[in-house]
DNA sequence: GAGTATCGTTGGTCGTACCAACGAATCAAG
DNA sequence: CTTGATTCGTTGGTACGACCAACGATACTC
């Protein structure tokens, strides 16, 4: 929060505040589920793209491949994903979603849905559509 | 960026993308001017509130007082602010904006204005008002 | 076969944002 | 007037998302 005139009404600030609130709720919800955003994104990519290399995961999620390593370490330790050497290209690992990972992903999908609802709660359905449309134009 | 269905259309994601774009432009612009957001916020607080303690600065800007220390170190090193012991309360420092600080602030105000315009460029004036109103409702 | 590109990995950096704890100083209650 | 609580500046640490450089190993291309 800030009480600065110069800052308070600025679009960048309003955007930042709204984002901070959304991110705060999302972070709390994920933390309560024992994961971070990166874990969810990787699980989602594994589900949507099927088994693939770590580099592929990075490209699919927008996560730097150096960051994929540690996050995947977690998922593997939690038995939510497997990391096997690719027999057809020894540079690569084939990353596979496990049953436990798929189940966890389903739970996290609901967590994410609930957060969307909580974030948008102050808006009517029409306002939500308008906001989404305007935000889309910005990027 | 991401190509994940689960993530791409979500309001939290759209908000994050728009914020990332705005923050990216702002960060670049500030970096080109040799400062970070924290520096601007502190300068603005000094201008709007007048000389005050570091704890006051923290409260006015929403910056943790432990973070104020280092940022203020920069401003002092750059001769944009002074940090003097408060004679009436020896726990405190009185932080004062210098002429150089005020001039820099004016420059940074323009930088910030330009960034607002760049961020909102894809929207009409009416859309900008609508967006601001909706964002305000969210927080 | 030589040079280029990709892969996983290590080990950094950055910015924003918190939090805990400390000694010093001040304030409030008795 | 003294004791206990609070505030102040400061240090040092954590977290998260994000990026970058470089490495050895492997694969691809000419």
């Amino acid at each position: 929060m800030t009480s600065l005139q110069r800052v308070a009404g600025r679009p960048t600030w309003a955007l930042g505040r709204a984002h901070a609130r959304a991110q705060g709720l999302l972070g709390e919800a994920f933390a309560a589920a024992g994961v971070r955003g990166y874990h969810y994104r990787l699980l989602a990519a594994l589900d949507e793209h099927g088994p693939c290399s770590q580099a592929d995961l990075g490209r699919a999620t927008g996560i730097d491949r150096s960051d994929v390593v540690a996050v995947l370490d977690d998922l593997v330790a939690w038995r939510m994903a497997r990391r096997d050497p690719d027999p057809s290209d020894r540079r690569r690992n084939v990353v596979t979603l496990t049953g436990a990972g798929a189940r966890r992903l389903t739970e996290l999908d609901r967590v994410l849905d609930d957060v969307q609802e909580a974030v948008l709660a102050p808006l009517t359905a029409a306002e939500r559509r308008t906001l989404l449309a305007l935000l889309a134009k910005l990027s």
Side-chain angles (χ1 to χ4, degrees), chain A:
Chain A
M1 186 73 84
T2 198
S3 61
L4 300 173
Q5 282 187 347
R6 273 186 177 75
V7 163
R10 244 56 176 252
T12 48
W13 187 259
L15 218 38
R17 269 186 63 81
H19 173 251
R21 179 158 177 282
Q23 212 55 28
L25 291 175
L26 190 55
E28 271 182 43
F30 275 161
V35 300
R36 287 177 290 139
Y38 274 15
H39 295 124
Y40 177 78
R41 280 206 252 169
L42 240 51
L43 288 174
L46 284 170
D47 183 61
E48 295 185 17
H49 288 66
C52 58
S53 73
Q54 298 180 200
D56 287 336
L57 283 179
R59 282 184 289 262
T61 57
I63 300 175
D64 192 279
R65 72 189 206 274
S66 65
D67 296 319
V68 169
V69 178
V71 179
L72 187 55
D73 283 346
D74 291 338
L75 294 182
V76 169
W78 300 335
R79 302 281 193 279
M80 296 180 196
R82 286 205 330 269
R83 173 159 42 187
D84 306 297
D86 185 340
S88 75
D89 185 341
R90 288 190 294 168
R91 293 170 304 180
R92 300 186 187 179
N93 293 328
V94 178
V95 182
T96 314
L97 190 63
T98 67
R103 283 191 296 277
R104 182 60 148 223
L105 178 58
T106 304
E107 296 169 15
L108 295 176
D109 281 336
R110 289 218 25 210
V111 169
L112 188 54
D113 284 339
D114 292 347
V115 169
Q116 306 304 313
E117 177 52 34
V119 168
L120 295 182
L123 303 185
T124 67
E127 287 173 332
R128 297 178 187 195
R129 282 191 297 273
T130 304
L131 177 64
L132 267 282
L134 291 177
L135 288 176
K137 279 198 185 185
L138 285 188
S139 22

